[in-house]
């Protein structure tokens, strides 16, 4: 069975602090995909990144970076120099391939609060 | 390109009634997935439609059903509503075909309240 665990339910930081959101996944598939989504207070899920299981390179996009480690089944997300606009709920998700691509398994989410 | 649209945005229904929610995917996207979001259960996958066929199904009772039309627009139906069906229903579309998995783009959701 596939499962995604985000152990941090809530995180509160002060603006300009760095923050890391943890994501641990379980799957028996050898090929799979990992995602991060952001859900601001408006409610709409916003896609942030997709990573396939064969690509363990870390990725950086502006203040965002992702660390994928197959050895520990983790796909962590770091926000550098956090800003108030980063306040949202962040979801990590997993999907299989072939005909399972349209089914995302989400973690419970981490609510990030960035205070000025 | 226009994003995923969902109608209606808000809905209030009474127990026992049925409801139909609509989703229009991004142009060119052939896969439409539906999710239920509640405070207690989080985001749960309902089903996915691809080329008018249900390709994947989550663990929801048969009261939850859906369909997809030839233009990729999708509808989901919930019959015999229960209080526990109160939730945000999210629709997502993607380019997903076979052999890969693409990012899903979500609509704003339909907030269903059952009284």
């Amino acid at each position: 069975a596939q499962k995604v665990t985000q152990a941090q339910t809530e995180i509160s930081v002060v603006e300009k602090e760095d923050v890391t959101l943890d994501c641990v996944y379980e799957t028996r598939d050898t090929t799979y995909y990992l995602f991060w989504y952001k859900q601001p207070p408006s409610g709409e899920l916003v896609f942030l990144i997709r990573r396939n299981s064969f690509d363990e390179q870390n990725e950086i996009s502006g203040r965002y970076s992702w660390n994928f480690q197959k050895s520990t089944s983790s796909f962590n997300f770091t926000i550098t120099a956090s800003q108030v606009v980063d306040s949202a709920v962040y979801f990590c998700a997993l999907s299989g391939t072939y005909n399972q691509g349209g089914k995302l398994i989400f973690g419970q989410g981490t609510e990030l609060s960035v205070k000025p | 390109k226009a994003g995923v649209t969902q109608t209606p945005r808000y809905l209030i229904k009474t127990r026992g009634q049925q409801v139909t929610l609509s989703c229009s995917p991004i142009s060119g996207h052939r896969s439409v997935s539906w999710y239920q979001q509640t405070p207690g259960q989080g985001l749960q996958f309902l089903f996915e439609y691809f080329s008018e066929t249900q390709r994947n199904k989550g663990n929801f009772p048969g009261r939850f059903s859906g369909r997809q039309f030839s233009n990729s627009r999708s509808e989901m139906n919930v019959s015999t509503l229960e209080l526990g069906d109160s939730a945000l229903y999210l629709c997502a579309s993607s380019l997903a075909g076979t052999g890969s998995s693409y990012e899903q783009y979500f609509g704003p959701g339909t907030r269903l309240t059952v009284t």
Side-chain angles (χ1 to χ4, degrees):
Chain A
Q2 296 181 319
K3 185 179 178 182
V4 176
T5 301
Q6 295 178 254
Q8 306 150 307
T9 306
E10 296 178 13
I11 299 177
S12 181
V13 299
V14 176
E15 211 170 16
K16 296 184 183 176
E17 282 187 33
D18 298 347
V19 58
T20 296
L21 310 181
D22 297 333
C23 172
V24 174
Y25 62 91
E26 296 175 28
T27 181
R28 293 181 182 174
D29 294 340
T30 53
T31 303
Y32 52 88
Y33 293 81
L34 295 162
F35 304 81
W36 276 95
Y37 283 85
K38 173 182 180 180
Q39 189 174 40
S42 60
E44 192 161 334
L45 279 162
V46 177
F47 165 75
L48 296 177
I49 189 172
R50 175 186 78 136
R51 178 52 52 90
N52 75 53
S53 51
F54 297 109
D55 182 3
E56 288 193 71
Q57 278 195 336
N58 291 333
E59 180 154 342
I60 298 175
S61 176
R63 296 184 296 106
Y64 294 171
S65 62
W66 290 269
N67 179 258
F68 176 30
Q69 292 194 341
K70 281 179 80 169
S71 60
T72 56
S73 297
S74 65
F75 186 42
N76 296 336
F77 172 31
T78 297
I79 301 175
T80 302
S82 59
Q83 299 176 2
V84 173
V85 293
D86 295 327
S87 296
V89 181
Y90 291 86
F91 292 94
C92 179
L94 167 71
S95 78
T97 186
Y98 300 104
N99 288 332
Q100 297 292 314
K103 176 181 178 179
L104 288 175
I105 306 299
F106 284 91
Q108 287 295 102
T110 297
E111 183 172 4
L112 174 64
S113 175
V114 182
K115 301 188 186 309
Chain B
K1 244 182 196 180
V4 178
T5 58
Q6 292 186 246
T7 56
R9 293 291 312 279
Y10 302 91
L11 209 47
I12 300 175
K13 289 286 188 179
T14 304
R15 268 181 304 176
Q17 289 185 316
Q18 75 164 16
V19 66
T20 299
L21 312 182
S22 181
C23 171
S24 292
I26 292 171
S27 177
H29 286 190
R30 294 166 62 193
S31 169
V32 173
S33 298
W34 288 89
Y35 297 84
Q36 181 195 64
Q37 186 175 24
T38 60
Q41 299 299 315
L43 275 159
Q44 293 187 287
F45 172 77
L46 279 157
F47 30 64
E48 181 215 3
Y49 285 87
F50 177 75
S51 293
E52 301 179 63
T53 301
Q54 187 180 86
R55 187 163 66 168
N56 287 293
K57 189 176 188 308
N59 296 324
F60 279 82
R63 300 185 298 105
F64 291 83
S65 63
R67 59 178 176 169
Q68 186 180 35
F69 302 95
S70 59
N71 61 358
S72 293
R73 191 176 70 83
S74 177
E75 289 181 347
M76 69 163 280
N77 184 277
V78 188
S79 62
T80 319
L81 284 165
E82 300 177 359
L83 293 179
D85 297 333
S86 294
L88 180 66
Y89 290 88
L90 292 162
C91 164
S93 75
S94 79
L95 288 168
T98 57
S100 186
S101 177
Y102 295 89
E103 56 270 23
Q104 295 183 19
Y105 294 92
F106 285 78
T110 295
R111 172 75 63 185
L112 172 64
T113 302
V114 182
T115 62

